[in-house]
Amino acid sequence: MAARQSHRLLKPFLYTSIAAAVGGGVLYTSYRPRNIPGSDPAAVPPPSYGEEGTLIPPRFPLVKSREEQIADLKRSAGGMRQSVNKLSREGLFGDVFWSNTKWEEAVQEEDAAGEQPYDLLIIGGGATGSGIALDAATRGLKVAVVERDDFSSGTSSKSTKLVHGGVRYLEKAVWELDYNQYKLVKEALRERKYFLDTAPHLSMWLPIMLPIQKWWQAPYFWAGTKFYDLLAGSEGIESSYFLTKSKALDAFPMLKKDDLFGALVYYDGAHNDSRMNVSLAMTAALYGSTVVNHIEVTGLQKDASGRLNGARVRDLVQEKNGKKPEEFIIRAKGIINATGPFTDSIRKMDDQKVEEIVAPSSGVHIILPGYYSPANMGLIDPSTSDGRVIFFLPWQGNTIAGTTDAPTDITQNPIAGEEEINWILSEIRGYLAPDINVRRGDVLAAWSGIRPLVRDPKARNTESLVRNHLVTVSDSGLLTCAGGKWTTYRQMAEETVDESIKLYGLQPGPVREAPDISGTEMIDDAATLDGTCQTHQVRLVGAHGYSKTLFINLIQHFGVETDVARHLTESYGDRAWTVAALSGPTEKRFPVRGIRISPLYPFVDGEVRYAVRHECAQTAVDVLARRTRLAFLNAQAALEALPTVIDLMTDELKWDKRRQDLEWRDTVQFLASMGLPKSKLGVTRKDVESGRAAEYDEHERKLYSRHDRPADTMESDSKFTSGHNPVIGEKSPANK
């Protein structure tokens, strides 16, 4: 009897204990202390000061000059370069492949002379190509990268600026019971953490709000965001949380109040995409890769058995300088095609009969002024009028909104259509407060990026698209990596290098003489480079000495403005020391250094010099679009900054008048793809310098009360009747 009674007493106690343990575990998992990327102290301390108060600057390693890297490319083919030039002069080279017999003879001569080809030649300098280069170089392989335009000149600079697993993909995975989709989300969440760890200065965590209109959506979205947190596991950060209506409006005052029940907030990553891409390329160069932009592949070379073993290229910068571009050969054991939307053009150089695998899709984004969104909170609209998802995010002081998703043709600089721009504006009006007038004239920039969706050529159903990326090999040995997204670039690179090692019989090995990227000799970056993939922990250029308080050191030493100092550290990391040092004196009491190239944004003259000297910038577009982000933030401001940028680059690169004029025309034409009005495409430098280019058209005239005379009070607040002049007395003849 006593045993039964004690059993009855123990049962509720046991259930209560289990419930408390489970609840406590959930609470601890949700609210446990976490290590926020970027909040740690710098891996190396900031520069110290000597006895007399003089700064002891870090000694950062330098990337080889463009001329030196081109010489390395030519050296891979040695004497074959002279043979190619001779054939070109005789008109025998043309646009066709060099005959296999002549090629084999030249290769044998070069092998006898001791010239060594590259292990890998990567065509394409976007996120995928630059990521592959860094992975291969840190495995001890000899790597070359050539890019027809500039690093990140295509899709890689035109993303939504998110580093995310994809909550909408997770929803599809659950409802469609799609395990492959689930795996993609899980993989992307893991890569998101690596992304933020290796480049904390270029990426950050961003809370994103999910508005809730109906009460029953709250448990549905709560379960989805909590599952998202759970999947991230130790790679996650702050847990998602619910906001009441009042709290949601406090966090995001621009939201429409009608039908708003509350909101859920979850966390994802955001980044500066093109600067991330440039940093990947420069880090690969420091680890020994030969990385050259504005080099075009004009043909592929094969041996007697039909296997690829080289490529023919030409230097487009020579052509811009008014010279005949020299063609030369690059020899390599393996060739990787990482050209994004242009994948099929390289595949057809290898085999004219090959079926196309790229299904290009256009994604349009627009940039609005920063007052459209809070500075530290994004928003996702999961239920647009046609079922697509729109993100509304703070970025670089402005607000980015997008994206669309529609089939398109492949062009180098696609232009955002008015229909897509107006669709985005229409959707924005749907969730912003009605007293906010969403105007077409508020669009500061608009661009279209081409997403290279791919079909698996080996699949039976050739119409089906691959959800993630595709690695495929042609009969001649061309290794193609296509598709995917920014977040998973590192995983794509790892798989591609793994495949290339097997395919081409390469021998990876430890990197025994890694560069001192931190510039301090305090970190051995070669410690873990044992020949296996280590890119999940290879810090990029600028990451070693970055901390969230680094900007204070810049202000105190160089006397730069606070917003400029923050911008420099968040764009260049510890290399901000070099950028600030390259910035010119203002001849003012404060700021002491840093002459802005645009009064509206924190971009300064030192960035232009740094881009040319340390980041391979060769054109004004390289600087305005990919080294700074001015062209993406404000097309008109980029146009107005163009004379300054051309003058600074002329000082660095010794451009003649002809080249300066060419840069002007090319840049204005490029700005058309960034949303510059057609009426401005014929503008001249004199127009800009005289201020005529800033004149507004009839549409802009109506945007602001720019012609109203200054007044201390509005008419409704005046104590005097309309038409009465308070300066003249009532008995004055003027009032009779």
Side-chain angles (χ1 to χ4, degrees):
M1 178 76 74
R4 288 182 181 177
Q5 189 172 359
S6 89
H7 186 67
R8 284 199 303 269
L9 291 173
L10 283 173
K11 245 183 174 181
F13 176 75
L14 181 63
Y15 292 154
T16 303
S17 300
I18 292 173
V22 172
V26 170
L27 286 173
Y28 176 77
T29 302
S30 299
Y31 299 105
R32 69 189 186 277
R34 309 205 192 188
N35 185 23
I36 300 175
S39 63
D40 290 335
V44 298
S48 58
Y49 290 83
E51 295 180 359
E52 299 180 358
T54 56
L55 180 75
I56 303 174
R59 298 183 177 180
F60 297 124
L62 301 177
V63 173
K64 287 183 179 180
S65 69
R66 190 171 192 276
E67 291 71 23
E68 291 173 318
Q69 296 204 67
I70 289 178
D72 289 342
L73 292 177
K74 293 176 178 177
R75 200 172 294 118
S76 74
M80 279 191 288
R81 177 164 55 88
Q82 283 76 26
S83 301
V84 170
N85 289 337
K86 182 174 183 295
L87 287 170
S88 296
R89 287 193 298 271
E90 294 172 355
L92 301 177
F93 202 71
D95 294 322
V96 298
F97 290 135
W98 201 2
S99 73
N100 290 339
T101 304
K102 290 181 179 179
W103 178 251
E104 280 293 291
E105 291 174 356
V107 168
Q108 291 171 7
E109 290 175 6
E110 294 307 321
D111 287 341
E115 297 289 348
Q116 293 298 317
Y118 285 99
D119 290 321
L120 293 174
L121 170 62
I122 301 162
I123 305 173
T128 305
S130 298
I132 293 170
L134 179 59
D135 189 306
T138 52
R139 298 199 208 189
L141 298 177
K142 185 180 179 182
V143 185
V145 182
V146 291
E147 163 61 47
R148 178 181 62 180
D149 196 334
D150 184 30
F151 311 117
S152 194
S153 59
T155 307
S156 298
S157 63
K158 298 174 179 178
S159 70
T160 310
K161 323 303 178 194
L162 281 177
V163 186
H164 64 133
V167 287
R168 55 177 176 159
Y169 300 132
L170 180 60
E171 183 183 30
K172 288 181 180 179
V174 171
W175 283 109
E176 298 174 10
L177 298 178
D178 189 336
Y179 181 67
N180 288 328
Q181 190 90 269
Y182 166 84
K183 282 200 309 181
L184 295 179
V185 175
K186 181 73 174 172
E187 173 190 298
L189 288 171
R190 183 187 69 247
E191 292 300 319
R192 180 185 68 176
K193 183 64 161 55
Y194 294 154
F195 203 114
L196 297 164
D197 285 341
T198 57
H201 56 302
L202 294 171
S203 50
M204 69 216 73
W205 289 97
L206 178 69
I208 300 177
M209 182 179 288
L210 187 60
I212 298 173
Q213 274 79 37
K214 306 292 183 182
W215 68 265
W216 56 264
Q217 291 178 323
Y220 177 77
F221 288 146
W222 183 88
T225 55
K226 287 301 176 186
F227 190 22
Y228 196 61
D229 295 341
L230 181 65
L231 275 186
S234 61
E235 281 87 25
I237 191 171
E238 298 288 343
S239 293
S240 55
Y241 56 90
F242 175 78
L243 289 176
T244 62
K245 178 177 180 178
S246 60
K247 291 290 186 182
L249 291 171
D250 184 54
F252 208 116
M254 304 81 178
L255 272 181
K256 184 169 64 175
K257 300 175 185 177
D258 298 343
D259 300 326
L260 183 66
F261 176 78
L264 271 159
V265 177
Y266 71 96
Y267 285 79
D268 252 326
H271 75 137
N272 188 336
D273 52 8
S274 73
R275 285 223 51 82
M276 181 75 179
N277 197 155
V278 171
S279 295
L280 282 169
M282 295 305 102
T283 307
L286 289 175
Y287 276 101
S289 297
T290 304
V291 180
V292 189
N293 53 355
H294 301 286
I295 291 279
E296 181 181 27
V297 172
T298 58
L300 301 177
Q301 303 295 335
K302 299 180 180 180
D303 62 19
S305 64
R307 300 288 294 180
L308 289 172
N309 62 0
R312 185 171 76 250
V313 301
R314 62 174 182 158
D315 182 1
L316 298 182
V317 171
Q318 288 185 333
E319 189 174 3
K320 288 179 180 291
N321 287 331
K323 302 175 183 177
K324 184 178 180 181
E326 177 188 9
E327 289 194 339
F328 57 93
I329 297 292
I330 304 172
R331 285 180 61 204
K333 298 174 185 176
I335 298 179
I336 296 177
N337 174 16
T339 52
F342 303 96
T343 292
D344 286 325
S345 63
I346 299 298
R347 293 176 72 243
K348 288 187 175 182
M349 281 186 185
D350 173 43
D351 179 3
Q352 286 288 340
K353 298 179 181 179
V354 72
E355 291 186 14
E356 295 184 356
I357 62 172
V358 173
S361 174
S362 169
V364 171
H365 295 83
I366 64 173
I367 290 288
L368 296 164
Y371 55 72
Y372 270 89
S373 68
N376 56 356
M377 177 77 76
L379 184 142
I380 178 175
D381 179 8
S383 55
T384 60
S385 58
D386 62 358
R388 288 181 285 188
V389 171
I390 274 193
F391 286 98
F392 194 66
L393 311 168
W395 184 66
Q396 300 284 305
N398 284 354
T399 301
I400 182 172
T403 176
T404 61
D405 185 8
T408 187
D409 295 325
I410 297 175
T411 56
Q412 192 159 355
N413 291 311
I415 295 176
E418 279 299 316
E419 184 178 348
E420 290 101 328
I421 293 172
N422 288 326
W423 180 82
I424 294 174
L425 291 174
S426 175
E427 295 300 325
I428 291 172
R429 292 187 189 101
Y431 55 78
L432 293 188
D435 57 340
I436 297 177
N437 185 13
V438 180
R439 308 178 299 182
R440 174 62 177 88
D442 285 338
V443 177
L444 303 176
W447 69 85
S448 172
I450 300 177
R451 184 184 178 195
L453 302 175
V454 291
R455 303 182 184 91
D456 187 346
K458 297 178 182 178
R460 293 182 180 179
N461 180 9
T462 58
E463 294 301 317
S464 59
L465 298 177
V466 177
R467 286 194 179 97
N468 197 11
H469 60 275
L470 175 71
V471 178
T472 184
V473 183
S474 73
D475 294 338
S476 64
L478 177 65
L479 180 59
T480 294
C481 180
K485 61 180 183 178
W486 240 120
T487 307
T488 56
Y489 85 89
R490 195 209 63 83
Q491 178 69 25
M492 294 165 61
E494 180 179 351
E495 292 179 16
T496 304
V497 176
D498 287 345
E499 181 66 24
S500 69
I501 289 171
K502 292 186 293 184
L503 179 65
Y504 305 125
L506 305 179
Q507 299 295 321
V511 177
R512 294 187 173 85
E513 296 183 3
D516 176 25
I517 294 181
S518 73
T520 64
E521 299 182 355
M522 297 180 66
I523 291 183
D524 182 6
D525 283 304
T528 59
L529 302 182
D530 57 2
T532 61
C533 178
Q534 296 294 326
T535 47
H536 61 287
Q537 54 186 343
V538 172
R539 293 186 182 94
L540 301 190
V541 167
H544 294 76
Y546 170 76
S547 72
K548 290 192 174 181
T549 57
L550 178 61
F551 76 97
I552 298 174
N553 302 112
L554 288 187
I555 297 171
Q556 292 177 334
H557 184 74
F558 291 105
V560 294
E561 293 174 274
T562 301
D563 62 334
V564 171
R566 285 185 180 274
H567 156 68
L568 293 182
T569 55
E570 291 169 2
S571 297
Y572 302 90
D574 57 25
R575 266 44 175 191
W577 288 101
T578 304
V579 180
L582 289 171
S583 299
T586 63
E587 308 302 335
K588 299 177 182 177
R589 184 174 179 274
F590 194 86
V592 180
R593 282 181 179 268
I595 301 170
R596 297 185 185 234
I597 63 174
S598 169
L600 301 175
Y601 297 92
F603 306 118
V604 294
D605 57 334
E607 295 182 73
V608 182
R609 298 186 183 97
Y610 184 84
V612 174
R613 298 182 192 182
H614 302 286
E615 293 185 335
C616 306
Q618 292 295 312
T619 70
V621 173
D622 293 351
V623 170
L624 286 169
R626 270 90 61 173
R627 304 310 185 279
T628 71
R629 306 312 308 274
L630 187 54
F632 280 82
L633 291 168
N634 192 320
Q636 178 66 31
L639 176 66
E640 293 168 6
L642 184 53
T644 301
V645 171
I646 289 179
D647 288 345
L648 288 168
M649 295 188 76
T650 296
D651 291 341
E652 294 292 321
L653 297 170
K654 310 305 176 188
W655 287 343
D656 57 19
K657 182 65 168 58
R658 177 193 168 280
R659 177 65 191 273
Q660 293 176 50
D661 292 342
L662 177 66
E663 286 299 315
W664 183 270
R665 293 192 300 272
D666 287 351
T667 306
V668 172
Q669 194 63 40
F670 171 80
L671 290 177
S673 69
M674 292 287 108
L676 189 71
K678 292 181 180 179
S679 60
K680 302 288 178 68
L681 297 186
V683 72
T684 65
R685 176 166 179 158
K686 286 184 179 180
D687 292 335
V688 171
E689 292 175 331
S690 66
R692 288 196 298 273
E695 293 177 356
Y696 33 79
D697 56 26
E698 188 60 31
H699 179 69
E700 292 174 309
R701 184 184 299 273
K702 297 176 182 178
L703 285 179
Y704 308 101
S705 59
R706 56 173 98 235
H707 299 293
D708 292 350
R709 293 181 178 179
D712 290 334
T713 59
M714 296 180 68
E715 184 178 342
S716 59
D717 296 328
S718 177
K719 298 177 182 178
F720 301 97
T721 58
S722 179
H724 176 67
N725 188 339
V727 179
I728 302 175
E730 292 183 7
K731 296 181 180 181
S732 170
N735 283 329
K736 292 183 180 179

Coordinates of all heavy atoms in Angstrom, one line a residue, residues 218-255:
A218 N 1.2 33.5 -36.7 CA 2.2 33.6 -35.7 C 2.8 32.2 -35.3 O 4.1 32.0 -35.4 CB 1.7 34.3 -34.5
P219 N 2.0 31.2 -35.0 CA 2.6 29.9 -34.7 C 3.3 29.2 -35.9 O 4.3 28.5 -35.7 CB 1.4 29.1 -34.2 CG 0.2 29.7 -34.7 CD 0.6 31.2 -34.7
Y220 N 2.7 29.5 -37.1 CA 3.3 28.9 -38.3 C 4.7 29.5 -38.6 O 5.7 28.7 -38.8 CB 2.4 29.2 -39.5 CG 2.9 28.7 -40.8 CD1 2.8 27.3 -41.2 CD2 3.5 29.6 -41.7 CE1 3.3 26.9 -42.4 CE2 3.9 29.1 -43.0 CZ 3.9 27.8 -43.3 OH 4.3 27.4 -44.5
F221 N 4.8 30.8 -38.6 CA 6.1 31.4 -38.8 C 7.1 31.2 -37.6 O 8.3 31.0 -37.8 CB 6.0 32.9 -39.0 CG 5.3 33.3 -40.4 CD1 4.5 34.4 -40.5 CD2 5.6 32.5 -41.5 CE1 3.9 34.7 -41.7 CE2 5.0 32.8 -42.7 CZ 4.2 33.9 -42.8
W222 N 6.5 31.1 -36.4 CA 7.4 30.9 -35.2 C 8.0 29.5 -35.4 O 9.3 29.3 -35.1 CB 6.6 30.9 -34.0 CG 7.4 30.7 -32.7 CD1 8.1 31.7 -32.0 CD2 7.6 29.5 -32.0 NE1 8.7 31.1 -30.9 CE2 8.4 29.7 -30.9 CE3 7.2 28.2 -32.3 CZ2 8.9 28.7 -30.0 CZ3 7.6 27.2 -31.4 CH2 8.4 27.5 -30.3
A223 N 7.2 28.5 -35.7 CA 7.8 27.1 -35.9 C 8.8 27.1 -37.0 O 9.9 26.4 -36.9 CB 6.6 26.2 -36.2
G224 N 8.6 27.8 -38.1 CA 9.5 27.8 -39.2 C 10.8 28.5 -38.9 O 11.9 27.9 -39.2
T225 N 10.8 29.6 -38.2 CA 12.0 30.3 -37.8 C 12.8 29.5 -36.7 O 14.0 29.5 -36.7 CB 11.8 31.7 -37.4 OG1 10.8 31.7 -36.3 CG2 11.2 32.6 -38.5
K226 N 12.1 28.9 -35.8 CA 12.7 28.1 -34.8 C 13.4 26.8 -35.4 O 14.5 26.4 -35.0 CB 11.8 27.6 -33.7 CG 11.3 28.7 -32.8 CD 12.5 29.3 -32.1 CE 12.2 30.5 -31.2 NZ 13.4 31.2 -30.6
F227 N 12.8 26.3 -36.5 CA 13.4 25.1 -37.2 C 14.6 25.6 -37.9 O 15.7 24.9 -37.9 CB 12.4 24.6 -38.2 CG 12.8 23.3 -38.8 CD1 13.8 22.4 -38.2 CD2 12.3 22.9 -40.0 CE1 14.2 21.2 -38.8 CE2 12.6 21.7 -40.6 CZ 13.6 20.9 -40.0
Y228 N 14.6 26.8 -38.4 CA 15.7 27.4 -39.1 C 16.9 27.6 -38.1 O 18.0 27.3 -38.4 CB 15.3 28.8 -39.6 CG 16.2 29.4 -40.6 CD1 16.5 28.8 -41.9 CD2 16.8 30.7 -40.4 CE1 17.3 29.4 -42.8 CE2 17.6 31.3 -41.4 CZ 17.9 30.7 -42.5 OH 18.7 31.3 -43.5
D229 N 16.6 28.1 -36.9 CA 17.6 28.2 -35.8 C 18.2 26.8 -35.5 O 19.4 26.7 -35.3 CB 17.0 28.8 -34.5 CG 16.5 30.2 -34.7 OD1 16.9 30.9 -35.7 OD2 15.7 30.7 -33.9
L230 N 17.3 25.9 -35.4 CA 17.7 24.5 -35.0 C 18.6 23.9 -36.0 O 19.7 23.3 -35.7 CB 16.5 23.6 -34.8 CG 16.7 22.2 -34.4 CD1 17.4 22.1 -33.0 CD2 15.4 21.4 -34.4
L231 N 18.3 24.1 -37.3 CA 19.2 23.6 -38.3 C 20.6 24.2 -38.3 O 21.6 23.6 -38.6 CB 18.6 23.9 -39.7 CG 17.6 22.9 -40.3 CD1 17.2 23.3 -41.7 CD2 18.1 21.5 -40.2
A232 N 20.6 25.5 -38.0 CA 21.9 26.2 -37.9 C 22.8 25.6 -36.8 O 24.0 25.6 -36.9 CB 21.7 27.7 -37.7
G233 N 22.2 25.2 -35.7 CA 22.9 24.6 -34.6 C 24.0 25.5 -34.0 O 23.8 26.7 -33.8
S234 N 25.2 25.0 -33.9 CA 26.3 25.8 -33.4 C 26.8 26.9 -34.4 O 27.5 27.8 -34.0 CB 27.5 24.9 -33.0 OG 27.9 24.2 -34.2
E235 N 26.3 26.8 -35.6 CA 26.7 27.8 -36.6 C 25.7 29.0 -36.6 O 25.9 29.9 -37.4 CB 26.7 27.2 -38.0 CG 28.0 26.4 -38.4 CD 27.9 25.0 -37.9 OE1 26.7 24.5 -37.8 OE2 28.9 24.3 -37.7
G236 N 24.7 28.9 -35.7 CA 23.8 30.0 -35.7 C 24.2 31.1 -34.7 O 25.4 31.1 -34.2
I237 N 23.3 32.0 -34.5 CA 23.7 33.1 -33.5 C 22.4 33.4 -32.7 O 21.8 32.5 -32.2 CB 24.2 34.4 -34.3 CG1 24.8 35.3 -33.3 CG2 23.3 35.0 -35.2 CD1 25.6 36.5 -33.9
E238 N 22.0 34.6 -32.7 CA 20.8 35.0 -31.9 C 19.6 34.2 -32.4 O 19.4 34.0 -33.6 CB 20.5 36.5 -32.0 CG 21.6 37.4 -31.4 CD 21.7 37.3 -29.9 OE1 20.7 36.9 -29.3 OE2 22.7 37.7 -29.4
S239 N 18.8 33.8 -31.5 CA 17.5 33.1 -31.8 C 16.5 34.0 -32.3 O 16.4 35.2 -32.0 CB 17.0 32.3 -30.6 OG 17.9 31.3 -30.2
S240 N 15.6 33.5 -33.2 CA 14.5 34.2 -33.6 C 13.5 34.6 -32.5 O 13.5 33.9 -31.5 CB 13.7 33.5 -34.7 OG 13.3 32.2 -34.2
Y241 N 12.8 35.6 -32.6 CA 11.9 36.0 -31.5 C 10.6 36.7 -32.1 O 10.6 37.2 -33.2 CB 12.6 36.9 -30.5 CG 13.2 38.2 -31.1 CD1 12.5 39.3 -31.2 CD2 14.5 38.1 -31.6 CE1 13.1 40.5 -31.7 CE2 15.1 39.3 -32.1 CZ 14.4 40.5 -32.2 OH 14.9 41.6 -32.7
F242 N 9.6 36.7 -31.3 CA 8.3 37.3 -31.7 C 8.2 38.8 -31.1 O 8.7 39.1 -30.0 CB 7.1 36.5 -31.1 CG 5.8 37.1 -31.4 CD1 5.2 37.1 -32.6 CD2 5.1 37.8 -30.4 CE1 4.0 37.6 -32.9 CE2 3.9 38.4 -30.6 CZ 3.3 38.3 -31.9
L243 N 7.6 39.7 -31.9 CA 7.4 41.0 -31.5 C 5.9 41.3 -31.6 O 5.2 41.0 -32.6 CB 8.1 42.0 -32.4 CG 9.6 42.1 -32.3 CD1 10.2 43.1 -33.4 CD2 10.1 42.5 -31.0
T244 N 5.4 42.0 -30.6 CA 4.0 42.4 -30.6 C 3.9 43.5 -31.7 O 4.9 44.1 -32.2 CB 3.5 42.9 -29.3 OG1 4.4 44.1 -28.9 CG2 3.7 41.9 -28.2
K245 N 2.7 43.9 -32.0 CA 2.5 45.0 -33.0 C 3.2 46.3 -32.6 O 3.9 46.9 -33.4 CB 1.0 45.3 -33.1 CG 0.6 46.4 -34.1 CD -0.9 46.6 -34.2 CE -1.2 47.7 -35.2 NZ -2.7 47.8 -35.4
S246 N 3.1 46.7 -31.3 CA 3.7 47.9 -30.9 C 5.2 47.8 -31.0 O 5.9 48.8 -31.4 CB 3.3 48.3 -29.5 OG 3.6 47.3 -28.6
K247 N 5.8 46.7 -30.6 CA 7.2 46.5 -30.7 C 7.7 46.4 -32.1 O 8.8 46.9 -32.4 CB 7.6 45.2 -29.9 CG 7.5 45.3 -28.4 CD 8.5 46.2 -27.8 CE 8.4 46.2 -26.3 NZ 9.3 47.2 -25.6
A248 N 6.9 45.8 -33.0 CA 7.3 45.7 -34.4 C 7.3 47.1 -35.0 O 8.3 47.4 -35.8 CB 6.3 44.8 -35.1
L249 N 6.4 47.9 -34.7 CA 6.3 49.3 -35.2 C 7.4 50.2 -34.6 O 8.0 51.1 -35.3 CB 5.0 49.9 -35.0 CG 3.8 49.3 -35.8 CD1 2.5 49.9 -35.3 CD2 4.0 49.6 -37.3
D250 N 7.8 49.9 -33.4 CA 8.9 50.6 -32.8 C 10.3 50.2 -33.5 O 11.1 51.1 -33.7 CB 9.0 50.3 -31.3 CG 10.1 51.1 -30.6 OD1 10.1 52.3 -30.7 OD2 11.0 50.5 -30.0
A251 N 10.4 49.0 -33.8 CA 11.6 48.5 -34.5 C 11.7 48.9 -36.0 O 12.7 49.2 -36.6 CB 11.8 47.0 -34.4
F252 N 10.5 48.9 -36.6 CA 10.4 49.2 -38.1 C 9.2 50.2 -38.3 O 8.1 49.8 -38.7 CB 10.1 47.9 -38.8 CG 10.6 48.0 -40.2 CD1 11.7 47.1 -40.6 CD2 10.1 48.8 -41.2 CE1 12.1 47.1 -41.9 CE2 10.6 48.8 -42.5 CZ 11.6 48.0 -42.9
P253 N 9.4 51.5 -37.9 CA 8.3 52.5 -37.9 C 7.7 52.7 -39.3 O 6.6 53.2 -39.4 CB 9.0 53.8 -37.5 CG 10.3 53.4 -36.9 CD 10.7 52.1 -37.6
M254 N 8.4 52.3 -40.4 CA 7.8 52.5 -41.7 C 6.7 51.5 -42.1 O 6.1 51.6 -43.1 CB 8.9 52.4 -42.8 CG 10.1 53.3 -42.5 SD 11.2 52.6 -41.3 CE 12.5 53.9 -41.3
L255 N 6.5 50.5 -41.3 CA 5.5 49.4 -41.6 C 4.1 50.0 -41.6 O 3.8 50.9 -40.8 CB 5.6 48.3 -40.6 CG 6.6 47.2 -40.9 CD1 6.5 46.1 -39.8 CD2 6.4 46.5 -42.2

